[in-house]
Amino acid sequence: MARTDRDILPDNVRPSNYNLSLFDLEFGGGWGYSGTVKIDAAVKKPSKEIVVNSKELEIKSASLRSVSGESTEWKTSKIDVDTSNERATLSFAEEIPSTEEAVLTIDFKGTINNAMAGFYRSKYKPAVAPSPGAAKEGEDYYMFSTQFEACDARRAFPCFDEPNLKATFEFEVEIPEDQVALSNMPEKSTRKGDKKGLKVVSFEKTPAMSTYLAAWAVGDFEYVEGHTERRYNGKNLPVRVYTTKGLKEQGRFALEHACKTIDFFSETFQIDYPLPKSDLLAVHEFAMGAMENWGLVTYRTITVLFDEAKSDSRHKNRVAYVVAHELAHQWFGNLVTMDWWSELWLNEGFATWVGWYAVDHLHPDWKVWSQFVAEAVQTALQLDSLRASHPIEVPVRNALEVDQIFDHISYLKGSSVIRMLGNHLGNETFLKGIAAYLSKHAYGNATTDDLWNALSKASGQDVKQFMDPWIRKIGFPVVTVAEEPGQISVRQSRFLTTGDVQAEEDETTWWIPLGLKSGTQTKSAGSALTVKEDTIRDVDDSFYKLNADQSGFYRTNYPPDRLMQLGHMRECLSTEDKIGLMGDATALAVAGDGTTAGLLTLLESFRDEDNYLVWSQISSSLAKCRAVFASNKKVSGGLKKFALNLVSPAAEKIGWEFEEDEDYLTIQLRKLLLGMAGGAGHEGIIAEGQRRFGTWKSGGELHPNLRAVVLNMNVANGGRSEYDTVKHAYLQSTSVNDKEACLQALGQSKDSDLARDLLELVTSGDVPIQDSHYGPSAVAANNSTRDEVWKYTKTQWQRLNERLGVSNVCMDRWMKMGLNNYSDHGISEEISDFFKDKDTRAYDRSLVVIADTIKGNANYKQRDEQLVLEWLEAHGYA
């Protein structure tokens, strides 16, 4: 985007350093604070006005002092605040001449809010007795931290809040003597405060960085510390995980991974980690998963803490990945930052890919690239198959519009096409280009074209030419295969889940790496479809498959007989191939390009699989079918019986008992199969789950890796007693992993009254706003109670808006996780009518996604319902 296409600040002033001081923080109610910011800046042209970003701040005074030549000071004659555009105009009576050295001083007041944005407070229950100086209101304790991405630095201090207006930062804050302050850089000094019992903590100056990466935190903190193996500037880098008191030991798993990941990325990117320390902070209330503030990464507690005694082992996978993702940003995003928000994917798509790259390096036994195909790729394909999707690189005129593109397209499609490109170029060549890109643009800003140029130079290929459609065009293709003896024809067209692509929507011709497996060969090098239709010769009729290892971001539509044949040639398929085959068959059935009968036949061929990630895709495909046809009792019952028949042998074989030193993927497989079998009505497995629940209820032990399965099974097959037991466990537990499992289990009840009770619970003060989505997400996935989410949303709108309205992210999450699982055109129309007179700016993109998803589901249901029933009857399931 050209600068003229952006709604940005005037270019008459450019900052170079912020010296920010905060004082008079209110630690017990009121929550106000005062601040002074001194901004070193160049005045680029004679000016009578300076415009800064400011939101929910009271600017008390402002002045500008020239420090080059003869020192002159100008005080503001007027300060005008534009609330809607979040700007303050500082007007001066006299024109200020151009100068390369000036200091803009602004005195202001702000509020430590509870909106999880800007400088905010998080409520928590102390795990141990807190220090006397800890922030407290009534019986509730608080910690303070910041969240500035995308446009909330301006909510904490007046600033030039745009990503390419980089500057250095110096920070100090006045706090109680028994509290801890953290910031991007190490502590420089501590001195006594102006009042007894206070101290002022100052921090070293940062490198040049964007305002959204500045950060600080204040609280009753403790830490665990480790060091990197590599040396940086002659020293092993100190790495710490900070928590509120009593939780630090749960940070050890993240600490171990952070130390190793920093070393790995320093070698991978051929640039040493740029700062003198790396801190990770667990924040009790956090809207997103984590935030990559340079040198002080902040995390939702569940993405950084792991309790070896109580946590489900799957959380190790999440912690390892999120830690790696955020540390990748220390280079890709922080050292080199996108020039403008339209290129957000440069930050998030790459950090997602390289985060998994690091986890694969540290845990090759986890097979995370198969997980990536089952989770990231399939999720991205689902969202991108909607008309309501958007290109990876989205034109953003006003930065205030950017929140809704922090979505699966930027993160997951972005990372999927990076994986496709990396596999095509070869990882060594690809990372060589990445290292050159980072080196050239260090401490500055860059664009997508800058990345393509670096990769083109490293590979000798015109990367921009074949990658631009993937980044700048909406959607992705389906490759449709037609067979003739010894050859196949392949045709690309845009894929929509609604199955109704119009000619004007199908004008893009993508570069598609075909990755053809034929016989025993994989003809991937140089084999790409670059026209709408082509013929491939010398194909072995006995076996072939396109998109080897599901490397390309597209669907493949085979002739029905070939699909069945592939299902019976599993020894020729990789794990990724199997996942992709089932994912494609599911999506094609929904769109009408395939059939549910074909999908169910394919799934049957995988019944003796023993791979967790393959079963994960089987589970997802089955869940989709069961959700769409849930209202037809005959079809629903038949699909349940089909699922029981499919999963029972594998579930009975793996059983309930863990072997000593059992590997990670086997543990995950056991949980998944037992859960699937219980959900399909396996009487023996349900009975054993009920026995274990009874033992736990009476004070006995419940294995952490079976906790979620047992709780889900008992709430689903029980009544008020089981529900209340799990609800009580949620309210009493201090484990973040345990609380998540309890909320999700409560959504399994088949009782509509209990579903409503859960929705009441997650919109009450007993559940942090950040976790409210677990309620609608679980109920929406429940075929018996799904309608309660929409009923609750429309009848309790005022309560919902008051509770979640403080956070756009949380409100958006409620919508897209709670309302997108319906298969009824009537409900879609109701949703549209309900929101006509509402201010939906925080989630308008999600509402269009919901409408599109429901349309696709409803069309699928109408088209296939009778055919599915006939297949189920013919095969003895209905």
Side-chain angles (χ1 to χ4, degrees), residues 12 21 106 152 197 236 335 352 395 398 437 468 524 568 768 779 818:
N12 58 327
S21 177
I106 304 175
D152 283 306
N236 302 97
L335 181 67
T352 302
N398 188 326
Y437 165 86
D468 254 14
S524 53
H568 292 293
V779 177

Side-chain angles (χ1 to χ4, degrees), residues 688-706:
E688 176 61 16
Q690 289 171 330
R691 185 192 71 77
R692 289 172 182 253
F693 184 80
T695 302
W696 169 71
K697 189 177 175 181
S698 302
E701 289 297 312
L702 187 54
H703 196 293
N705 286 316
L706 291 175

Side-chain angles (χ1 to χ4, degrees), residues 134-155:
K136 184 183 182 187
E137 184 178 46
E139 296 304 308
D140 297 320
Y141 283 85
Y142 293 86
M143 60 169 283
F144 303 156
S145 59
T146 57
Q147 169 61 40
F148 291 161
E149 192 177 26
C151 302
D152 283 306
R154 65 191 67 175
R155 211 168 182 169

Side-chain angles (χ1 to χ4, degrees), residues 59 85 228 243 252 340 485 587 717 788:
I59 296 180
N85 286 306
T228 58
T243 69
R252 290 204 177 273
W340 183 242
N717 293 283
E788 296 306 318

Side-chain angles (χ1 to χ4, degrees), residues 457-476:
K457 190 171 181 181
S459 65
Q461 299 184 41
D462 188 349
V463 173
K464 176 180 169 63
Q465 186 268 328
F466 59 78
M467 286 304 294
D468 254 14
W470 288 105
I471 302 303
R472 297 192 165 112
K473 299 291 186 181
I474 193 171
F476 66 89

Side-chain angles (χ1 to χ4, degrees), residues 481-490 516-519 523 534-544 546 562 565:
V481 182
E483 297 183 349
E484 297 171 41
Q487 65 183 38
I488 58 174
S489 66
V490 288
L516 173 66
K517 286 184 176 180
S518 179
K523 303 177 183 177
D534 203 356
T535 299
I536 303 171
R537 293 177 173 81
D538 301 323
V539 174
D540 188 333
D541 290 335
S542 65
F543 169 76
Y544 74 87
L546 293 174
R562 177 62 60 180
Q565 189 177 343

